[in-house]
Amino acid sequence: MSRHPVAVSAPGKVLLAGGYLVLDREYTGLVFGLDARIHVHVQRLPTFPGVDLSEVIVRSPQFRNAEWRYGYRETEDHRGIQITQLKGHSTSALSENKFVETALAYALSYISATSDIKIGSTVVTIVADTDYYSHPHSVNSTNPARFVDFNVPLSEAHKTGLGSSAALVTAFVAAVLTHYLDESQLELNSEGGRRRLHNLSQAAHCAAQGKVGSGFDVAAAVYGSCVYRRFSPSILEELGQVGSPEFTKRLTAVVEEPDTSTKWDMQIIKAAAKLPRGLRLVMCDVDCGSESVGMAKKVLAWRKENPDEATLLWATLQKGNEELGRELLRLAQGSTTDRQDYTNLSDTISTIRSLIREMSAKAEVPIEPKVQTELLDACCQVSGVVGGVVPGAGGFDAIVLLVENDALPTLQRLLDTYKTTNKDENGPGISRVRLLSVKQDFEGVKLENAKSFADWLR
């Protein structure tokens, strides 16, 4: 077991193209990693000599009363590590944290099934980069620190839609594995190590969500920016829950892929996700948020009821998404000195947006709500803004723009005073827009300097 504290981070994501389509293996998504990261620090829990505890303390010190304490024990019949929240000691109104609890159970179950080490007690600290949450007014929005005290309970924090749950699960699992296992058992920077981390994180994230999702967000957290084709849901559908007989045997097979029957079939193509040097990906937080799960159910219900219409629209969208990826790749491989012509790129984004609005109307789901259309159109009038979309599942999360580097000051001036003229009948109006400091980052999960989190440890 590691004798020193370890820290691991995983990036957020933005699904620039492929919202909803990425749920189906027939289609792909173009996903960019972001430099906003979730960081997880793990160290041994100090105890008195002779005292042997079986406890994991998880803290999220940027939020009020965000501490969860868990007891753990190994079960019989290969059922895995049973995790029990110690409610007499946890804070946050004794609330559960499903993603943390599930990630811990899956990571410890895998460790116990594949090694002979003794699992010791630990303290886990989670710290999020500032842009994961809409800032309270007390935060300096013009020059925010990388980590801030949000000064609210976690349940009251407004997410900006950067994929915090996938980044959390991935960084959490990676940090726990790195803490307990040596490099001969898991080398995080190797292809094999990342593949096993991907498989285990996907399994834990799906279990925490209660459904087998597309997995693009976990793929981006592990590998960074990529073109992604989802795995077959059947890979995880028979895994079962921690505590079921033979669970760790099934989990180990899912993670380590010992034969063709357990082989994951996702496609992750990093070389196909590029941005030209003169463009920056930026995001604008509207501090509203959406329930993407409910929206996805409605879109899939429309698709099931209108298969011919949906198939034609999705095929056209896929073609546009592929053209977007090719154009970005072409521009990225072009001249780095001359100013490039982004006309075709802008036209491609506009076509994709029109198709998304068509799907939004047909499915009666606010994928690109009117207030977001108004905001996007206003931003695209700024010289140097090539185009933008409501990413992923859409709704009222942060929008994403592709912007020439020298256009940022003008864009900022627009957003400083921006307000919607009309409230959308399907959701809130926009009274404040914040240009996030986040930008594209092509790197996935990585080890961090554990000492850099000293101010957040106790």
Side-chain angles (χ1 to χ4, degrees):
M1 184 178 80
S2 169
R3 297 189 181 276
H4 302 285
V6 300
V8 176
S9 72
K13 54 71 191 168
V14 57
L15 185 61
L16 186 65
Y20 297 102
L21 276 69
V22 77
L23 294 167
D24 191 318
R25 271 186 56 78
E26 292 295 316
Y27 309 96
T28 58
L30 175 59
V31 56
F32 283 96
L34 301 171
D35 63 353
R37 305 177 78 89
I38 298 288
H39 308 257
V40 178
H41 179 280
V42 182
Q43 61 185 1
R44 286 186 291 180
L45 176 64
T47 59
F48 293 105
V51 176
D52 188 15
L53 299 177
S54 296
E55 183 176 356
V56 175
I57 302 173
V58 181
R59 295 173 177 146
S60 187
Q62 292 168 295
F63 301 97
R64 300 285 71 78
N65 301 320
E67 180 179 292
W68 300 267
R69 295 189 174 216
Y70 301 98
Y72 59 88
R73 69 177 185 87
E74 190 157 3
T75 58
E76 298 178 349
D77 300 327
H78 305 284
R79 295 173 182 264
I81 298 292
Q82 180 180 338
I83 302 293
T84 303
Q85 185 173 353
L86 305 176
K87 294 186 179 293
H89 300 278
S90 300
T91 60
S92 197
L94 303 186
S95 65
E96 295 182 353
N97 189 321
K98 190 66 175 175
F99 288 99
V100 163
E101 186 172 332
T102 305
L104 180 62
Y106 273 61
L108 294 185
S109 292
Y110 177 71
I111 291 168
S112 71
T114 57
S115 71
D116 296 325
I117 67 164
K118 175 178 172 56
I119 297 175
S121 297
T122 55
V123 179
V124 182
T125 304
I126 302 166
V127 186
D129 282 350
T130 303
D131 281 336
Y132 272 98
Y133 297 91
S134 298
H135 295 175
H137 295 294
S138 60
V139 173
N140 182 350
S141 60
T142 58
N143 188 27
R146 181 165 195 180
F147 308 128
V148 299
D149 186 339
F150 292 106
N151 199 31
V152 295
L154 184 58
S155 60
E156 296 179 14
H158 293 181
K159 295 181 180 181
T160 54
L162 305 187
S164 56
S165 68
L168 167 62
V169 168
T170 300
F172 194 102
V173 170
V176 171
L177 294 185
T178 304
H179 178 73
Y180 286 110
L181 302 177
D182 59 37
E183 285 193 4
S184 67
Q185 297 167 302
L186 180 83
E187 186 178 352
L188 197 60
N189 292 326
S190 71
E191 177 57 33
R194 291 203 172 206
R195 178 124 182 160
R196 282 189 287 156
L197 173 63
H198 167 271
N199 299 351
L200 182 55
S201 298
Q202 290 283 17
H205 192 246
C206 288
Q209 290 185 119
K211 66 183 182 68
V212 180
S214 70
F216 81 89
D217 44 5
V218 171
V222 175
Y223 292 100
S225 303
C226 63
V227 169
Y228 175 78
R229 189 185 303 276
R230 72 158 303 153
F231 58 88
S232 296
S234 59
I235 293 172
L236 293 178
E237 285 174 346
E238 302 301 321
L239 178 58
Q241 298 293 320
V242 176
S244 59
E246 308 292 310
F247 171 77
T248 56
K249 290 184 177 181
R250 296 190 300 274
L251 180 64
T252 302
V254 160
V255 174
E256 299 189 347
E257 306 174 274
D259 52 55
T260 55
S261 67
T262 57
K263 195 75 172 177
W264 288 66
D265 54 359
M266 73 284 180
Q267 293 180 357
I268 298 170
I269 308 173
K270 285 190 61 61
K274 301 291 183 183
L275 283 183
R277 182 171 296 183
L279 284 186
R280 174 172 167 173
L281 184 153
V282 302
M283 301 192 71
C284 305
D285 174 34
V286 297
D287 195 11
C288 297
S290 327
E291 182 50 64
S292 59
V293 175
M295 292 169 62
K297 287 181 178 178
K298 291 181 180 178
V299 170
L300 295 178
W302 161 76
R303 185 189 183 204
K304 184 177 181 180
E305 294 168 3
N306 305 273
D308 294 338
E309 179 181 54
T311 297
L312 178 60
L313 180 55
W314 279 29
T316 309
L317 256 174
Q318 174 69 13
K319 184 177 179 181
N321 295 341
E322 291 174 352
E323 173 58 28
L324 173 61
R326 285 194 296 269
E327 181 64 8
L328 286 171
L329 192 59
R330 183 187 71 79
L331 291 166
Q333 295 170 341
S335 172
T336 59
T337 56
D338 299 331
R339 194 178 186 91
Q340 301 199 66
D341 182 0
Y342 297 117
T343 303
N344 188 48
L345 178 60
S346 180
D347 291 344
T348 301
I349 295 173
S350 295
T351 300
I352 291 171
R353 277 187 62 197
S354 68
L355 292 169
I356 289 173
R357 288 195 297 270
E358 181 181 348
M359 180 166 64
S360 185
K362 290 180 182 297
E364 299 182 349
V365 174
I367 303 171
E368 188 185 294
K370 290 181 180 179
V371 291
Q372 295 279 53
T373 297
E374 186 178 339
L375 174 59
L376 283 166
D377 289 347
C379 291
C380 290
Q381 292 301 310
V382 174
S383 178
V385 176
V386 178
V389 299
V390 188
F396 298 92
D397 283 336
I399 65 168
V400 58
L401 303 170
L402 294 179
V403 179
E404 294 183 59
N405 292 326
D406 56 6
L408 288 174
T410 308
L411 177 62
Q412 181 67 70
R413 285 194 293 272
L414 167 72
L415 299 178
D416 283 342
T417 58
Y418 183 84
K419 290 185 179 180
T420 50
T421 57
N422 296 296
K423 181 178 177 180
D424 196 295
E425 65 271 18
N426 293 315
I430 298 174
S431 59
R432 183 171 69 98
V433 182
R434 182 169 63 92
L435 183 64
L436 302 180
S437 61
V438 66
K439 62 182 183 296
Q440 70 272 13
D441 187 354
F442 297 95
E443 188 174 8
V445 66
K446 64 181 180 179
L447 293 168
E448 299 281 1
N449 182 354
K451 295 180 180 178
S452 63
F453 305 95
D455 290 343
W456 296 93
L457 306 176
R458 61 178 176 84

